[in-house]
Amino acid sequence: LSDPDRLSMLDAVRSLALPDWAVGAGFVRSAVWDHLHGFTESTPLRDIDVLYFDPKDLSPEREEGIEQQLTAAMPGLPWSVRNQARMHLRNGDDSYHDTEDAMRYWLETATCVAVRLEADGRVTVIAPYGLEDLLALRSGPTPRGRERYSAYLERMRVKNWPARWPRVRVEGLR
């Protein structure tokens, strides 16, 4: 709520009235870790992960349309919109029940957090594995990340979070 840019982004997504929506992953993680490191400037967002759950329209074209609407509202931002009701197909999982359930299949704990700006201005936090790791500047595999540990490790190597946030500890990285 204290970051006017992120608040504007959340407001733009809220204005679309998507079912069971949230913005998550690096959008939340980077803001928290920047704050905990005392950074005065935000880490640039590689993408803004907009999640929603709509089993009535699984088309990628719907996601593209939403990205276009967000780009029209806030040009120049890296919007990435995904209907979690169809992501199980790409990931080879059983059907997800809602956005939070889909997040349970993400690989690492620190990224498994999303927020939604409610109509009354409150923020709802969705964190199926809690906030402890995020706030303690650490990340480990979720249960799904343990099942796919080599994929988790590769993702952590590519992300290389400690290069940006030196106090972050990532399980499996040396």
Side-chain angles (χ1 to χ4, degrees):
L1 291 175
S2 66
D3 182 331
D5 293 332
R6 277 184 168 78
L7 191 57
S8 293
M9 293 173 211
L10 287 170
D11 191 46
V13 178
R14 177 180 63 183
S15 74
L16 301 179
L18 299 170
D20 192 18
W21 74 273
V23 181
F27 180 86
V28 176
R29 183 200 63 240
S30 294
V32 170
W33 286 354
D34 284 351
H35 175 76
L36 293 175
H37 276 80
F39 295 171
T40 55
E41 292 195 26
S42 295
T43 298
L45 293 168
R46 291 183 184 180
D47 54 17
I48 303 166
D49 291 299
V50 177
L51 319 169
Y52 71 101
F53 194 87
D54 184 2
K56 295 176 185 161
D57 185 351
L58 302 180
S59 70
E61 293 79 19
R62 174 71 175 128
E63 295 169 358
E64 292 167 15
I66 294 166
E67 284 179 7
Q68 290 170 359
Q69 288 179 285
L70 290 168
T71 298
M74 297 187 78
L77 294 177
W79 298 104
S80 176
V81 178
R82 297 292 177 265
N83 182 357
Q84 300 303 296
R86 77 173 189 87
M87 295 310 291
H88 71 284
L89 299 170
R90 184 184 86 173
N91 298 332
D93 298 325
D94 292 335
S95 297
Y96 306 144
H97 304 290
D98 55 26
T99 295
E100 182 173 359
D101 185 45
M103 291 172 61
R104 292 180 198 285
Y105 289 83
W106 293 4
L107 298 182
E108 69 273 0
T109 56
T111 299
C112 199
V113 179
V115 293
R116 176 175 42 247
L117 184 63
E118 302 294 353
D120 63 2
R122 288 178 306 114
V123 172
T124 296
V125 176
I126 303 168
Y129 298 108
L131 298 172
E132 184 178 332
D133 281 358
L134 177 67
L135 297 173
L137 296 165
R138 68 177 175 249
S139 189
T142 62
R144 182 61 162 182
R146 290 225 179 273
E147 290 172 9
R148 300 184 58 223
Y149 197 67
S150 62
Y152 159 81
L153 287 176
E154 180 58 23
R155 181 171 159 79
M156 294 301 94
R157 276 192 280 281
V158 168
K159 293 291 184 184
N160 192 19
W161 292 327
R164 171 68 181 156
W165 299 284
R167 293 176 32 223
V168 167
R169 299 295 166 250
V170 177
E171 180 182 315
L173 291 187
R174 295 174 214 263

Short mmCIF file of all heavy atoms in Angstrom, two decimals, residues 1-18 21-25 27-28 31 45 48-51 70 73-74 77 79 113-119 121-126:
data_model
loop_
_atom_site.label_atom_id
_atom_site.label_comp_id
_atom_site.label_asym_id
_atom_site.label_seq_id
_atom_site.Cartn_x
_atom_site.Cartn_y
_atom_site.Cartn_z
N LEU A 1 0.81 -1.21 0.00
CA LEU A 1 0.00 0.00 0.00
C LEU A 1 0.85 1.26 0.00
O LEU A 1 0.38 2.31 -0.41
CB LEU A 1 -0.95 -0.01 1.20
CG LEU A 1 -2.06 -1.06 1.15
CD1 LEU A 1 -2.85 -1.05 2.45
CD2 LEU A 1 -2.97 -0.85 -0.03
N SER A 2 2.10 1.15 0.46
CA SER A 2 2.95 2.34 0.51
C SER A 2 3.70 2.56 -0.80
O SER A 2 4.40 3.56 -0.94
CB SER A 2 3.94 2.24 1.67
OG SER A 2 4.84 1.17 1.45
N ASP A 3 3.56 1.66 -1.75
CA ASP A 3 4.23 1.79 -3.05
C ASP A 3 3.18 2.25 -4.08
O ASP A 3 2.36 1.45 -4.53
CB ASP A 3 4.83 0.44 -3.46
CG ASP A 3 5.58 0.48 -4.76
OD1 ASP A 3 5.23 1.30 -5.65
OD2 ASP A 3 6.51 -0.32 -4.93
N PRO A 4 3.20 3.53 -4.44
CA PRO A 4 2.15 4.04 -5.34
C PRO A 4 2.16 3.36 -6.71
O PRO A 4 1.09 3.20 -7.32
CB PRO A 4 2.44 5.53 -5.44
CG PRO A 4 3.81 5.73 -4.91
CD PRO A 4 4.13 4.57 -4.02
N ASP A 5 3.33 2.97 -7.20
CA ASP A 5 3.37 2.30 -8.50
C ASP A 5 2.69 0.94 -8.44
O ASP A 5 1.85 0.61 -9.30
CB ASP A 5 4.82 2.13 -8.98
CG ASP A 5 5.47 3.47 -9.31
OD1 ASP A 5 4.75 4.42 -9.68
OD2 ASP A 5 6.70 3.56 -9.17
N ARG A 6 3.03 0.15 -7.43
CA ARG A 6 2.40 -1.17 -7.31
C ARG A 6 0.91 -1.04 -7.02
O ARG A 6 0.11 -1.82 -7.52
CB ARG A 6 3.11 -2.00 -6.25
CG ARG A 6 4.37 -2.69 -6.78
CD ARG A 6 5.01 -3.59 -5.71
NE ARG A 6 6.02 -4.45 -6.24
CZ ARG A 6 7.27 -4.07 -6.55
NH1 ARG A 6 7.65 -2.84 -6.37
NH2 ARG A 6 8.13 -4.96 -7.02
N LEU A 7 0.55 -0.06 -6.22
CA LEU A 7 -0.87 0.16 -5.93
C LEU A 7 -1.63 0.50 -7.21
O LEU A 7 -2.73 -0.01 -7.45
CB LEU A 7 -1.03 1.27 -4.89
CG LEU A 7 -2.41 1.45 -4.30
CD1 LEU A 7 -2.92 0.17 -3.65
CD2 LEU A 7 -2.40 2.59 -3.29
N SER A 8 -1.04 1.30 -8.08
CA SER A 8 -1.68 1.63 -9.37
C SER A 8 -1.82 0.38 -10.24
O SER A 8 -2.84 0.21 -10.92
CB SER A 8 -0.86 2.67 -10.12
OG SER A 8 -0.90 3.89 -9.44
N MET A 9 -0.81 -0.48 -10.21
CA MET A 9 -0.89 -1.72 -10.99
C MET A 9 -2.02 -2.60 -10.47
O MET A 9 -2.80 -3.16 -11.25
CB MET A 9 0.44 -2.47 -10.93
CG MET A 9 1.57 -1.77 -11.64
SD MET A 9 3.14 -2.64 -11.34
CE MET A 9 4.28 -1.26 -11.39
N LEU A 10 -2.11 -2.73 -9.15
CA LEU A 10 -3.19 -3.53 -8.56
C LEU A 10 -4.55 -2.94 -8.90
O LEU A 10 -5.50 -3.66 -9.20
CB LEU A 10 -3.01 -3.63 -7.05
CG LEU A 10 -1.87 -4.52 -6.56
CD1 LEU A 10 -1.65 -4.34 -5.07
CD2 LEU A 10 -2.14 -5.97 -6.91
N ASP A 11 -4.65 -1.62 -8.87
CA ASP A 11 -5.90 -0.96 -9.19
C ASP A 11 -6.29 -1.22 -10.64
O ASP A 11 -7.47 -1.45 -10.96
CB ASP A 11 -5.79 0.54 -8.92
CG ASP A 11 -7.13 1.23 -8.98
OD1 ASP A 11 -8.11 0.72 -8.40
OD2 ASP A 11 -7.21 2.30 -9.61
N ALA A 12 -5.31 -1.20 -11.54
CA ALA A 12 -5.59 -1.48 -12.96
C ALA A 12 -6.13 -2.89 -13.13
O ALA A 12 -7.09 -3.11 -13.89
CB ALA A 12 -4.33 -1.28 -13.80
N VAL A 13 -5.55 -3.85 -12.44
CA VAL A 13 -6.03 -5.24 -12.56
C VAL A 13 -7.41 -5.36 -11.92
O VAL A 13 -8.32 -5.97 -12.49
CB VAL A 13 -5.03 -6.24 -11.93
CG1 VAL A 13 -5.57 -7.66 -12.02
CG2 VAL A 13 -3.66 -6.13 -12.60
N ARG A 14 -7.58 -4.75 -10.75
CA ARG A 14 -8.89 -4.80 -10.07
C ARG A 14 -10.00 -4.25 -10.98
O ARG A 14 -11.11 -4.79 -11.00
CB ARG A 14 -8.84 -4.02 -8.77
CG ARG A 14 -10.18 -3.97 -8.05
CD ARG A 14 -10.15 -3.21 -6.76
NE ARG A 14 -9.82 -1.81 -7.00
CZ ARG A 14 -9.67 -0.91 -6.04
NH1 ARG A 14 -9.79 -1.25 -4.77
NH2 ARG A 14 -9.39 0.34 -6.33
N SER A 15 -9.70 -3.22 -11.75
CA SER A 15 -10.72 -2.59 -12.60
C SER A 15 -11.28 -3.54 -13.65
O SER A 15 -12.36 -3.31 -14.18
CB SER A 15 -10.14 -1.34 -13.27
OG SER A 15 -9.26 -1.70 -14.32
N LEU A 16 -10.57 -4.63 -13.96
CA LEU A 16 -11.04 -5.60 -14.95
C LEU A 16 -12.02 -6.62 -14.39
O LEU A 16 -12.62 -7.38 -15.14
CB LEU A 16 -9.84 -6.32 -15.57
CG LEU A 16 -8.82 -5.43 -16.27
CD1 LEU A 16 -7.67 -6.26 -16.81
CD2 LEU A 16 -9.48 -4.62 -17.38
N ALA A 17 -12.16 -6.65 -13.06
CA ALA A 17 -13.12 -7.55 -12.39
C ALA A 17 -12.94 -9.00 -12.82
O ALA A 17 -13.91 -9.72 -13.08
CB ALA A 17 -14.55 -7.07 -12.63
N LEU A 18 -11.70 -9.45 -12.87
CA LEU A 18 -11.42 -10.84 -13.21
C LEU A 18 -11.83 -11.75 -12.05
O LEU A 18 -11.69 -11.37 -10.89
CB LEU A 18 -9.92 -11.02 -13.49
CG LEU A 18 -9.36 -10.21 -14.65
CD1 LEU A 18 -7.83 -10.29 -14.65
CD2 LEU A 18 -9.94 -10.69 -15.96
N TRP A 21 -8.82 -13.21 -8.91
CA TRP A 21 -7.57 -12.65 -9.43
C TRP A 21 -6.61 -12.30 -8.30
O TRP A 21 -6.99 -12.11 -7.15
CB TRP A 21 -7.85 -11.43 -10.29
CG TRP A 21 -8.24 -10.20 -9.51
CD1 TRP A 21 -9.51 -9.85 -9.11
CD2 TRP A 21 -7.37 -9.19 -9.01
NE1 TRP A 21 -9.48 -8.68 -8.41
CE2 TRP A 21 -8.17 -8.25 -8.32
CE3 TRP A 21 -6.00 -8.98 -9.06
CZ2 TRP A 21 -7.64 -7.12 -7.70
CZ3 TRP A 21 -5.46 -7.86 -8.44
CH2 TRP A 21 -6.29 -6.94 -7.78
N ALA A 22 -5.36 -12.19 -8.68
CA ALA A 22 -4.30 -11.71 -7.78
C ALA A 22 -3.09 -11.39 -8.65
O ALA A 22 -3.02 -11.79 -9.82
CB ALA A 22 -3.94 -12.77 -6.75
N VAL A 23 -2.16 -10.65 -8.09
CA VAL A 23 -0.88 -10.40 -8.73
C VAL A 23 0.17 -10.97 -7.80
O VAL A 23 0.16 -10.70 -6.60
CB VAL A 23 -0.65 -8.90 -8.98
CG1 VAL A 23 0.69 -8.67 -9.67
CG2 VAL A 23 -1.78 -8.31 -9.81
N GLY A 24 1.06 -11.79 -8.35
CA GLY A 24 1.97 -12.49 -7.46
C GLY A 24 3.37 -12.64 -7.96
O GLY A 24 3.82 -11.95 -8.88
N ALA A 25 4.06 -13.58 -7.32
CA ALA A 25 5.43 -13.96 -7.64
C ALA A 25 6.37 -12.78 -7.38
O ALA A 25 6.36 -12.21 -6.30
CB ALA A 25 5.53 -14.51 -9.05
N PHE A 27 6.38 -9.76 -8.21
CA PHE A 27 5.71 -8.51 -7.86
C PHE A 27 5.72 -8.30 -6.35
O PHE A 27 5.97 -7.20 -5.87
CB PHE A 27 4.27 -8.56 -8.39
CG PHE A 27 3.45 -7.33 -8.11
CD1 PHE A 27 3.50 -6.25 -8.97
CD2 PHE A 27 2.61 -7.28 -7.02
CE1 PHE A 27 2.72 -5.12 -8.74
CE2 PHE A 27 1.83 -6.15 -6.77
CZ PHE A 27 1.89 -5.07 -7.63
N VAL A 28 5.46 -9.37 -5.61
CA VAL A 28 5.45 -9.31 -4.14
C VAL A 28 6.86 -9.55 -3.60
O VAL A 28 7.37 -8.77 -2.78
CB VAL A 28 4.46 -10.34 -3.55
CG1 VAL A 28 4.52 -10.34 -2.03
CG2 VAL A 28 3.05 -10.06 -4.05
N ALA A 31 9.38 -6.65 -3.94
CA ALA A 31 9.04 -5.52 -3.08
C ALA A 31 9.45 -5.79 -1.63
O ALA A 31 10.02 -4.92 -0.96
CB ALA A 31 7.54 -5.22 -3.17
N LEU A 45 10.79 -4.86 -12.50
CA LEU A 45 9.99 -6.07 -12.65
C LEU A 45 10.22 -6.67 -14.03
O LEU A 45 10.02 -5.98 -15.04
CB LEU A 45 8.51 -5.76 -12.46
CG LEU A 45 8.11 -5.33 -11.05
CD1 LEU A 45 6.70 -4.76 -11.05
CD2 LEU A 45 8.22 -6.50 -10.09
N ILE A 48 4.91 -8.81 -14.65
CA ILE A 48 3.90 -8.61 -13.62
C ILE A 48 2.92 -9.75 -13.78
O ILE A 48 2.11 -9.77 -14.71
CB ILE A 48 3.21 -7.24 -13.77
CG1 ILE A 48 4.25 -6.12 -13.73
CG2 ILE A 48 2.14 -7.06 -12.68
CD1 ILE A 48 3.72 -4.78 -14.20
N ASP A 49 3.03 -10.73 -12.89
CA ASP A 49 2.25 -11.96 -13.01
C ASP A 49 0.83 -11.76 -12.49
O ASP A 49 0.59 -11.74 -11.29
CB ASP A 49 2.93 -13.09 -12.23
CG ASP A 49 4.23 -13.52 -12.89
OD1 ASP A 49 4.17 -13.98 -14.04
OD2 ASP A 49 5.29 -13.39 -12.26
N VAL A 50 -0.10 -11.63 -13.43
CA VAL A 50 -1.52 -11.50 -13.12
C VAL A 50 -2.14 -12.89 -13.22
O VAL A 50 -2.06 -13.54 -14.27
CB VAL A 50 -2.22 -10.53 -14.09
CG1 VAL A 50 -3.72 -10.45 -13.79
CG2 VAL A 50 -1.56 -9.15 -14.02
N LEU A 51 -2.74 -13.32 -12.14
CA LEU A 51 -3.36 -14.63 -12.06
C LEU A 51 -4.87 -14.44 -11.95
O LEU A 51 -5.33 -13.50 -11.31
CB LEU A 51 -2.89 -15.37 -10.81
CG LEU A 51 -1.41 -15.26 -10.43
CD1 LEU A 51 -1.19 -15.82 -9.04
CD2 LEU A 51 -0.56 -15.95 -11.45
N LEU A 70 -4.57 -4.18 -20.05
CA LEU A 70 -3.66 -3.65 -19.03
C LEU A 70 -2.59 -2.76 -19.66
O LEU A 70 -2.23 -1.71 -19.11
CB LEU A 70 -3.02 -4.80 -18.24
CG LEU A 70 -3.99 -5.54 -17.32
CD1 LEU A 70 -3.37 -6.83 -16.80
CD2 LEU A 70 -4.42 -4.63 -16.16
N ALA A 73 -4.09 0.54 -20.34
CA ALA A 73 -4.27 1.30 -19.11
C ALA A 73 -2.94 1.80 -18.54
O ALA A 73 -2.85 2.91 -18.02
CB ALA A 73 -5.00 0.45 -18.06
N MET A 74 -1.91 0.95 -18.63
CA MET A 74 -0.59 1.28 -18.09
C MET A 74 0.47 0.82 -19.07
O MET A 74 1.05 -0.26 -18.91
CB MET A 74 -0.40 0.63 -16.71
CG MET A 74 -1.38 1.13 -15.66
SD MET A 74 -1.00 0.51 -14.01
CE MET A 74 0.36 1.60 -13.58
N LEU A 77 4.54 -1.56 -19.31
CA LEU A 77 4.78 -2.51 -18.22
C LEU A 77 4.73 -3.94 -18.77
O LEU A 77 3.96 -4.24 -19.68
CB LEU A 77 3.75 -2.32 -17.11
CG LEU A 77 3.83 -0.99 -16.36
CD1 LEU A 77 2.72 -0.89 -15.33
CD2 LEU A 77 5.19 -0.82 -15.71
N TRP A 79 3.29 -6.90 -18.52
CA TRP A 79 2.16 -7.69 -18.04
C TRP A 79 2.26 -9.13 -18.53
O TRP A 79 2.58 -9.38 -19.68
CB TRP A 79 0.84 -7.09 -18.52
CG TRP A 79 0.60 -5.71 -18.01
CD1 TRP A 79 0.73 -4.54 -18.71
CD2 TRP A 79 0.20 -5.32 -16.69
NE1 TRP A 79 0.43 -3.47 -17.92
CE2 TRP A 79 0.10 -3.92 -16.67
CE3 TRP A 79 -0.09 -6.03 -15.53
CZ2 TRP A 79 -0.27 -3.21 -15.53
CZ3 TRP A 79 -0.46 -5.33 -14.40
CH2 TRP A 79 -0.55 -3.95 -14.40
N VAL A 113 3.53 -16.29 -3.35
CA VAL A 113 2.75 -15.27 -2.64
C VAL A 113 2.12 -14.36 -3.69
O VAL A 113 2.76 -14.00 -4.67
CB VAL A 113 3.65 -14.43 -1.70
CG1 VAL A 113 2.85 -13.37 -0.98
CG2 VAL A 113 4.38 -15.32 -0.70
N ALA A 114 0.86 -14.00 -3.46
CA ALA A 114 0.17 -13.07 -4.35
C ALA A 114 -0.71 -12.15 -3.52
O ALA A 114 -1.03 -12.46 -2.35
CB ALA A 114 -0.67 -13.84 -5.37
N VAL A 115 -1.11 -11.03 -4.11
CA VAL A 115 -1.97 -10.07 -3.42
C VAL A 115 -3.10 -9.63 -4.34
O VAL A 115 -2.98 -9.65 -5.56
CB VAL A 115 -1.18 -8.83 -2.93
CG1 VAL A 115 -0.20 -9.22 -1.84
CG2 VAL A 115 -0.46 -8.14 -4.08
N ARG A 116 -4.20 -9.24 -3.70
CA ARG A 116 -5.36 -8.73 -4.42
C ARG A 116 -5.82 -7.46 -3.70
O ARG A 116 -5.94 -7.45 -2.48
CB ARG A 116 -6.48 -9.77 -4.44
CG ARG A 116 -7.77 -9.30 -5.09
CD ARG A 116 -8.85 -10.36 -5.21
NE ARG A 116 -9.00 -11.20 -4.05
CZ ARG A 116 -8.71 -12.52 -4.02
NH1 ARG A 116 -8.24 -13.13 -5.08
NH2 ARG A 116 -8.89 -13.21 -2.92
N LEU A 117 -6.09 -6.42 -4.46
CA LEU A 117 -6.63 -5.18 -3.92
C LEU A 117 -8.15 -5.28 -3.93
O LEU A 117 -8.76 -5.39 -5.00
CB LEU A 117 -6.15 -3.99 -4.76
CG LEU A 117 -6.55 -2.61 -4.27
CD1 LEU A 117 -5.96 -2.32 -2.89
CD2 LEU A 117 -6.10 -1.55 -5.29
N GLU A 118 -8.73 -5.24 -2.75
CA GLU A 118 -10.18 -5.39 -2.63
C GLU A 118 -10.88 -4.06 -2.91
O GLU A 118 -10.25 -3.00 -2.92
CB GLU A 118 -10.54 -5.90 -1.23
CG GLU A 118 -9.89 -7.23 -0.85
CD GLU A 118 -10.35 -8.43 -1.68
OE1 GLU A 118 -11.30 -8.29 -2.48
OE2 GLU A 118 -9.77 -9.51 -1.51
N ALA A 119 -12.18 -4.11 -3.10
CA ALA A 119 -12.96 -2.92 -3.42
C ALA A 119 -12.84 -1.84 -2.34
O ALA A 119 -12.89 -0.65 -2.64
CB ALA A 119 -14.42 -3.30 -3.63
N GLY A 121 -10.21 -1.21 -0.61
CA GLY A 121 -8.83 -0.77 -0.47
C GLY A 121 -7.95 -1.68 0.36
O GLY A 121 -6.73 -1.47 0.42
N ARG A 122 -8.54 -2.67 1.01
CA ARG A 122 -7.73 -3.64 1.75
C ARG A 122 -6.97 -4.52 0.77
O ARG A 122 -7.40 -4.69 -0.38
CB ARG A 122 -8.59 -4.54 2.63
CG ARG A 122 -9.19 -3.89 3.85
CD ARG A 122 -10.08 -4.85 4.66
NE ARG A 122 -11.12 -5.44 3.81
CZ ARG A 122 -11.20 -6.74 3.48
NH1 ARG A 122 -10.34 -7.61 3.95
NH2 ARG A 122 -12.17 -7.18 2.71
N VAL A 123 -5.88 -5.10 1.23
CA VAL A 123 -5.12 -6.05 0.41
C VAL A 123 -5.29 -7.44 1.01
O VAL A 123 -5.09 -7.64 2.21
CB VAL A 123 -3.63 -5.67 0.36
CG1 VAL A 123 -2.81 -6.76 -0.31
CG2 VAL A 123 -3.44 -4.35 -0.37
N THR A 124 -5.68 -8.37 0.18
CA THR A 124 -5.74 -9.77 0.58
C THR A 124 -4.46 -10.44 0.12
O THR A 124 -4.04 -10.29 -1.03
CB THR A 124 -6.96 -10.47 -0.08
OG1 THR A 124 -8.15 -9.87 0.41
CG2 THR A 124 -6.96 -11.97 0.21
N VAL A 125 -3.82 -11.15 1.04
CA VAL A 125 -2.59 -11.88 0.73
C VAL A 125 -2.93 -13.35 0.57
O VAL A 125 -3.61 -13.94 1.41
CB VAL A 125 -1.55 -11.70 1.86
CG1 VAL A 125 -0.30 -12.53 1.59
CG2 VAL A 125 -1.19 -10.23 2.02
N ILE A 126 -2.46 -13.92 -0.52
CA ILE A 126 -2.62 -15.36 -0.78
C ILE A 126 -1.23 -15.97 -0.68
O ILE A 126 -0.35 -15.65 -1.47
CB ILE A 126 -3.24 -15.61 -2.16
CG1 ILE A 126 -4.58 -14.88 -2.29
CG2 ILE A 126 -3.39 -17.11 -2.41
CD1 ILE A 126 -5.10 -14.84 -3.71
#
